[in-house]
Amino acid sequence: MSDTPILEVRDLCKRFPVRGKGPFAGKSWLAAVNAVSFRLDKGETLALVGESGCGKTTLARAAAMLQPPTSGSVRFEGSEITGLGNRSLKPLRRRVQMIFQDPYGSLNPRLPVGAIIAEPLLVHGLGDKAERRQKAVRLAEQVGLKAGDMSRYPHQFSGGQRQRIAIARAIALQPCLVIADEPVSALDVSIQSQILNLLRDLRDSRRLTYLFISHDLAVVRHFADRVAVMYLGRIVETAAAETLFDAPRHPYTRALIAAQPVIGRGKRTAAGCLSGDPPSPLDPPSGCPFHPRCPLAAALCRESRPELEGDSGHQVACHFKNEGGT
Amino acid sequence: MTGFLFQRLIQSAVVLAVMSFVIYWLMGLMPGDPIDLMISADPKITSEDAARLRALYGLDKPITERYLNWLGAAVGGDFGFSRLYAKPVPEALLPALANTVRLLGITLCLSLLIGLPAGMAAAIRPYSKTDYTINLLAFAGISLPAFWLALLLIIVFSVFLGVLPAGGVAALGGDGFWDQAKYLVLPVANLTIASVGGHTRYMRAAMIEALRQDYIRTARAKGAGPARVVLGHALRNALIPVVTIVSLDFGFLFSGALITETVFAYPGMGKLIFDAIMGNDYNLALVALLFVTLLILIGNLLADLAYAWLDPRISYR
Amino acid sequence: MPEVLETSQDSAAAALEVRQLEVVFATDASPLKAADKVSFAVPAGRTLGLVGESGCGKSVTALAILGLVPPPGLITGGQILFNGDDLPSLPERRMEDIRGARISMIFQEPMTALNPVFSIGSQVAEALRIHRRTSRPEAWKAAVEMLARVGIADAAARAGDYPHQLSGGMRQRAMIAMALICRPEVLIADEPTTALDVTTQAQILDLMMAMQRDLGLAILFISHDLGVISEIADEVAVMYAGAIVEQAPAGELFERPLHPYTRGLIETLPGAGPRLPRLAAIAGQVPDLGALPRGCRFSDRCPLADDECGASEPTLAAAGERRRVACWKAAP
């Protein structure tokens, strides 16, 4: 681990102002991401998992400076990028690309596919028109589109094909880091695996690093090297994927894994199912944010919040992390 | 809710104050002043007399100072004197205001009573014969120019048939209900035909949108019949956008009323403002325009309150 | 009623039976067959899982049962047998009496499926008032009880809440309360947990199973998620491009899928086994109903396809005691 990490995030916080009740009430703050730290090494895939509203998307966007963090430090290839202006961030924009859940929403419906794929090249002033077109065709072929598709429009493609277009556009500038926000959630089952295979092939052939956001634990288990589980804006457990799924130590991680439906396990039996909903980030519980839903919660958990602790391989934020239990 | 009302009242007061200055200033920009009219009426007035009169009426002062003087008096309840009607402004204004409120009130009610059900009927079976017929009529109403329709109505009902008066209002303290009402029929018909098409189209669009929503399928899946689906589930959702448009339309109806009132020689606000501006009657024009502003502000406030009543997702805190 | 007498022994106890159902969407080009000879039965107290990808016809089939196929869709053939009646031939007024009272349905997105301008209590109470002579206060009381029964804490207070004030899980519970307040015999659930987080999904699945036990419900559970289907269904029917291609008891289907499409679906999922560098994949795209291949509808994506598959379409035929499969290559 002597290499500088691609991305190193320390104590990142992202708060949003929320208007209070009444015409004269002041603003209050919603802490979407709270003191999160992680590092991402070259060629590694880190997955952020958690339920909707846990802050995983906000964290990724803040780390990529798409929405500047409220506080904390983000180092990209060793240099600090928080506080930089848009002009200084331009090289970063080139090296960090995003893929979204709904490819249709992110593709301009009035542009043919060739122009969509070539657009980042145009924006960054790379090559002349003929070169860009040539490059776009090469990219399209790499992601499994045909050269003949270049003059067609996004609505003429299926969801899986559109995601391929979005991926081709994302890799056009040869980024080193790709943030993939639920890239396969909107796709049909038989298409999901095609796209996951494509992302994996690109990782191997282009040494890509992924920050992979997903709520689907089976996909994460297959795709990620390391996993960070988020709850209410904080990372509650992080470990190598295999360790995390084979020996989860945070009760929330265990509950997530238990809740994931599994094929061929037979009809479900109502056991170990987490009750209630995640609390509102506007009014987080005292102590450990998970204690109102936690089967292990004790007085200590209501009073003090456990820190994320452990060796660099496996960190857990739980007072009872060393007790097995169910 | 009280907080919201309070906030809106303050807002309205600020809007009125700003509007009063803007209108005052715009009228100050108009060529001529009351003294010019006096001069043209009486050739014996010398330019010295005119200057003396201007000083007497304060017309030689800068516009901001004149405005502040007017504002001070207005806040004290003194809206000045209408030169044109030779009465205090409120006395000149109130009969016209009453006439216009009567005209617009009846028109709005009629237009909504016809337009909303017609729009609903069209939306229930889009692209059916009923829908095409209703759409055709609505477009006809929207497309007919108000002044042309007004002339047509006068020719048919006053000139040929001779059943309705061509203009004016009943004499003061006038007689029975019909004597009063017959003067309203043609102006109301004219304005209603001009606005009902729009209301029908808005309702149709909003209703089609509401009927397309998932909750309509849910209502049908729980066994609701067509009447309950349309009136119980879709109508209230469809009314939310319609309320916005109708309240915005309020201002449009006012300007439509100007033409209608002029053609039918109906002594309402439209005609009053027109006469006041042409006659350089500053005081009257100013207060009349502010009243129109106030009416539109009240219309918007009512729309906001109707929203809160229709849509629980909107809460005014 | 001869149809009822000649039912097979399997469907003798069926609360709902669909036979050779065809739903066609008339389009400008050519009519699209969204459901092609779909047949299945759901016995009381059991769950049939209907699984398939987008556009395979599973939702259209569900809507057809309730007579709610949106235009320009039409039921052009087959029967839907419920309680001795063939539903498509019933007049609309009689269907209204069945919907929500004897066959209920819940939907994927409870936010849009609930009317935003009415409180959840009144929407649950309405279901009761449509079908039973009940006074407003009585219906409200019954609605509060039902909301409490589906696990909404402090139901008396929550009943006055509007849909946007509740979490996704709570909204889906309210939908279930609305669907079950008249004690129907059949519940059709169209992707009821797809919009929910996993922990909430688990809660809703548990709730549905508990309600099934209490009321003896026959459930038709529609999902694209094989994992969910595996955990809730007793029997599974796999749909592809408008037709059922395989049907079997859940355990057998997932243990030994016969149709190459079913096998493909199961193998493409990242599973619990050892991590493989690549996932198995089904080649090609989910087909367009207007451009199905000749012969077997899966033949253009099927690894086993040969000339026979391109020439004629296999019918859904018995393969073992309780299994059916539509494939020329399926090992018996």
Side-chain angles (χ1 to χ4, degrees):
Chain A
M1 297 261 240
S2 58
D3 287 349
T4 8
I6 293 262
L7 195 67
E8 190 170 18
V9 168
R10 256 195 231 135
D11 287 325
L12 186 141
C13 293
K14 179 71 191 173
R15 284 193 287 271
F16 295 103
V18 181
R19 239 197 107 192
K21 291 188 176 185
F24 306 111
K27 278 188 282 191
S28 55
W29 293 90
L30 182 154
V33 175
N34 225 328
V36 167
S37 305
F38 66 85
R39 62 179 276 162
L40 189 51
D41 288 310
K42 183 138 187 70
E44 190 186 32
T45 298
L46 171 67
L48 297 174
V49 305
E51 297 178 280
S52 53
C54 72
K56 50 192 194 295
T57 294
T58 310
L59 171 59
R61 295 181 65 90
M65 292 299 287
L66 289 169
Q67 281 177 328
T70 314
S71 66
S73 134
V74 180
R75 298 174 86 84
F76 181 74
E77 294 184 321
S79 49
E80 184 66 43
I81 56 170
T82 50
L84 292 185
N86 262 333
R87 190 187 296 266
S88 334
L89 281 174
K90 200 159 181 190
L92 173 84
R93 299 265 183 260
R94 209 172 131 180
R95 314 214 48 207
V96 182
Q97 292 291 319
M98 288 200 76
I99 305 170
F100 301 95
Q101 171 172 359
D102 171 21
Y104 199 50
S106 67
L107 301 177
N108 186 337
R110 285 181 190 78
L111 287 184
V113 168
I116 291 175
I117 297 176
E119 191 169 24
L121 302 170
L122 184 70
V123 169
H124 286 268
L126 301 176
D128 61 28
K129 200 168 177 189
E131 282 170 4
R132 284 199 297 268
R133 183 173 306 159
Q134 228 176 15
K135 181 129 195 246
V137 172
R138 258 204 323 275
L139 287 163
E141 279 165 355
Q142 264 185 43
V143 299
L145 297 167
K146 293 188 220 48
D149 291 338
M150 304 300 282
S151 53
R152 295 166 70 204
Y153 290 84
H155 72 267
Q156 295 170 296
F157 292 85
S158 64
Q161 298 293 84
R162 282 180 207 143
Q163 198 57 288
R164 288 177 195 272
I165 300 169
I167 292 171
R169 178 178 60 182
I171 59 173
L173 294 168
Q174 304 193 303
C176 58
L177 172 62
V178 172
I179 298 175
D181 192 349
E182 304 270 8
V184 297
S185 315
L187 304 179
D188 273 313
V189 188
S190 70
I191 306 303
Q192 265 193 20
S193 56
Q194 295 176 359
I195 298 296
L196 286 173
N197 285 343
L198 171 65
L199 289 173
R200 173 158 297 217
D201 293 345
L202 291 171
R203 173 172 79 184
D204 297 343
S205 63
R206 297 174 162 250
R207 285 263 289 159
L208 288 180
T209 307
Y210 286 119
L211 185 56
F212 188 90
I213 302 168
S214 179
H215 70 280
D216 187 333
L217 292 183
V219 167
V220 165
R221 182 176 187 273
H222 163 77
F223 196 76
D225 301 316
R226 264 191 320 127
V227 182
V229 181
M230 288 186 74
Y231 189 78
L232 221 60
R234 293 175 192 276
I235 293 179
V236 295
E237 178 161 13
T238 174
E242 271 163 66
T243 321
L244 189 104
F245 285 99
D246 293 346
R249 286 166 70 189
H250 196 285
Y252 178 61
T253 314
R254 285 188 208 134
L256 274 185
I257 294 173
Q260 187 78 17
V262 177
I263 279 182
R265 192 162 61 183
K267 257 187 126 161
R268 59 181 292 111
T269 45
C273 163
L274 215 53
S275 62
D277 290 316
S280 158
L282 270 175
D283 182 23
S286 64
C288 172
F290 186 58
H291 87 254
R293 301 173 79 194
C294 182
L296 306 178
L300 173 63
C301 305
R302 283 184 279 280
E303 282 151 22
S304 80
R305 185 171 54 77
E307 292 296 329
L308 190 64
E309 288 168 337
D311 58 56
S312 61
H314 194 163
Q315 295 180 303
V316 189
C318 176
H319 291 303
F320 298 102
K321 57 180 171 285
N322 295 323
E323 297 176 22
T326 45
Chain B
M1 189 58 118
T2 11
F4 164 75
L5 273 177
F6 182 66
Q7 219 177 344
R8 283 299 299 261
L9 284 178
I10 293 177
Q11 270 177 22
S12 302
V14 171
V15 170
L16 276 179
V18 172
M19 278 303 289
S20 68
F21 179 72
V22 171
I23 296 169
Y24 201 99
W25 179 68
L26 281 173
M27 286 198 301
L29 288 183
M30 287 197 307
D33 61 24
I35 311 300
D36 290 330
L37 279 183
M38 274 190 216
I39 297 170
S40 63
D42 182 355
K44 278 183 278 180
I45 295 181
T46 62
S47 56
E48 286 81 42
D49 292 334
R52 200 169 40 81
L53 278 170
R54 285 206 169 92
L56 183 69
Y57 288 115
L59 288 169
D60 57 342
K61 296 195 180 110
I63 195 153
T64 329
E65 200 183 326
R66 272 153 59 196
Y67 169 72
L68 288 175
N69 284 340
W70 173 85
L71 189 65
V75 168
D78 175 8
F79 291 100
F81 197 78
S82 162
R83 231 179 34 77
L84 215 58
Y85 290 78
K87 283 180 193 168
V89 163
E91 272 179 50
L93 192 70
L94 284 177
L97 188 67
N99 281 335
T100 290
V101 166
R102 196 180 302 151
L103 177 64
L104 291 188
I106 296 173
T107 300
L108 196 63
C109 289
L110 264 183
S111 180
L112 292 177
L113 279 175
I114 300 168
L116 300 192
M120 250 159 49
I124 288 168
R125 292 190 187 285
Y127 309 111
S128 65
K129 273 188 189 137
T130 325
D131 185 29
Y132 277 118
T133 314
I134 291 173
N135 264 315
L136 191 73
L137 291 174
F139 275 121
I142 294 168
S143 319
L144 291 180
F147 72 91
W148 179 83
L149 183 68
L151 293 176
L152 191 76
L153 288 172
I154 291 174
I155 291 172
V156 173
F157 290 97
S158 310
V159 180
F160 287 155
L161 300 176
V163 290
L164 290 167
V169 287
L172 261 178
D175 317 300
F177 172 76
W178 173 243
D179 290 311
Q180 299 247 357
K182 66 182 178 189
Y183 287 96
L184 272 169
V185 173
L186 288 187
V188 164
N190 188 32
L191 270 180
T192 304
I193 291 170
S195 65
V196 72
H199 290 156
T200 306
R201 297 280 306 162
Y202 301 146
M203 189 64 199
R204 176 182 181 272
M207 198 73 192
I208 286 179
E209 182 60 28
L211 285 172
R212 235 201 316 247
Q213 300 300 311
D214 284 356
Y215 54 76
I216 295 300
R217 191 182 55 190
T218 309
R220 296 194 63 198
K222 64 178 167 181
R228 187 183 276 271
V229 168
V230 173
L231 299 174
H233 284 270
L235 179 61
R236 191 155 160 188
N237 284 285
L239 280 179
I240 296 168
V242 169
V243 161
T244 327
I245 294 173
V246 168
S247 73
L248 290 178
D249 245 18
F250 203 62
F252 166 78
L253 211 57
F254 239 102
S255 59
L258 174 67
I259 296 168
T260 305
E261 286 176 1
T262 313
V263 177
F264 289 100
Y266 186 89
M269 291 289 278
K271 202 168 165 314
L272 179 102
I273 292 169
F274 181 77
D275 291 345
I277 291 174
M278 295 317 279
N280 270 343
D281 191 346
Y282 285 6
N283 287 337
L284 186 61
L286 184 60
V287 176
L289 284 170
L290 284 179
F291 251 101
V292 175
T293 313
L294 184 68
L295 282 182
I296 291 172
L297 284 174
I298 290 173
N300 282 335
L301 182 63
L302 288 179
D304 282 344
L305 294 178
Y307 268 160
W309 174 69
L310 285 169
D311 190 347
R313 284 164 297 185
I314 296 173
S315 69
Y316 302 121
R317 307 187 279 225
Chain C
M1 293 214 180
E3 289 102 337
V4 179
L5 291 177
E6 69 185 27
T7 47
S8 63
Q9 83 260 20
D10 197 32
S11 57
L16 178 75
E17 190 182 351
V18 173
R19 282 195 202 164
Q20 302 288 311
L21 177 72
E22 280 190 18
V23 180
V24 167
F25 280 77
T27 60
D28 293 337
S30 59
L32 301 179
K33 226 175 235 184
D36 193 358
K37 301 196 194 70
V38 170
S39 301
F40 56 78
V42 199
R46 312 277 280 174
T47 303
L48 173 72
L50 197 54
V51 67
E53 300 179 277
S54 60
C56 73
K58 53 194 196 299
S59 293
V60 166
T61 302
L63 291 172
I65 294 170
L66 284 177
L68 293 178
V69 178
L74 273 179
I75 297 176
T76 51
Q79 293 166 306
I80 299 167
L81 300 173
F82 174 72
N83 195 40
D85 289 319
D86 176 29
L87 298 184
S89 61
L90 287 185
E92 175 64 15
R93 288 302 299 270
R94 284 202 55 205
M95 275 312 289
E96 281 167 15
D97 292 340
I98 290 174
R99 287 184 205 129
R102 309 194 58 192
I103 306 178
S104 286
M105 185 158 178
I106 59 177
F107 300 93
Q108 172 173 356
E109 187 33 87
M111 182 71 214
T112 57
L114 288 168
N115 196 323
V117 303
F118 297 110
S119 67
I120 55 159
S122 72
Q123 294 189 57
V124 175
E126 187 196 14
L128 191 65
R129 279 172 56 79
I130 288 172
H131 297 289
R132 310 261 194 278
R133 289 184 157 278
T134 323
S135 71
R136 255 167 214 283
E138 271 177 79
W140 182 268
K141 208 173 131 240
V144 170
E145 275 165 22
M146 196 68 213
L147 287 170
R149 206 165 152 197
V150 298
I152 292 185
D154 196 10
R158 291 286 79 76
D161 281 357
Y162 292 91
H164 71 277
Q165 292 169 306
L166 300 174
S167 68
M170 288 296 135
R171 283 194 285 261
Q172 198 57 286
R173 284 175 196 270
M175 275 292 288
I176 292 173
M178 196 167 84
L180 299 185
I181 192 163
C182 292
R183 316 226 157 197
E185 289 120 283
V186 178
L187 177 68
I188 302 172
D190 189 0
E191 304 260 10
T193 61
T194 304
L196 305 175
D197 279 318
V198 273
T199 59
T200 317
Q201 168 171 278
Q203 295 170 12
I204 296 295
L205 293 178
D206 288 343
L207 171 66
M208 289 180 68
M209 291 175 73
M211 298 312 284
Q212 178 172 46
R213 272 195 305 277
D214 291 1
L215 303 175
L217 278 174
I219 298 183
L220 176 61
F221 194 105
I222 295 168
S223 180
H224 72 284
D225 187 330
L226 290 150
V228 170
I229 290 284
S230 159
E231 295 211 337
I232 192 142
D234 299 296
E235 177 125 350
V236 180
V238 181
M239 281 188 85
Y240 183 78
I244 293 181
V245 294
E246 177 165 16
Q247 188 176 353
E252 290 181 40
L253 185 99
F254 291 111
E255 214 164 275
R256 203 166 58 85
L258 294 181
H259 197 284
Y261 177 61
T262 318
R263 206 153 47 227
L265 279 184
I266 295 172
E267 282 167 2
T268 64
L269 285 180
R275 282 183 5 141
L276 302 165
R278 289 179 68 82
L279 292 167
I282 302 177
Q285 306 298 318
V286 178
D288 178 353
L289 286 178
L292 289 184
R294 281 171 49 81
C296 172
R297 59 193 71 217
F298 188 57
S299 58
D300 60 337
R301 299 176 76 189
C302 182
L304 307 177
D306 60 16
D307 294 348
E308 187 189 11
C309 302
S312 66
E313 168 147 42
T315 50
L316 195 61
E321 212 174 317
R322 296 177 57 204
R323 307 192 60 162
R324 299 187 296 160
V325 65
C327 177
W328 296 122
K329 303 291 164 199

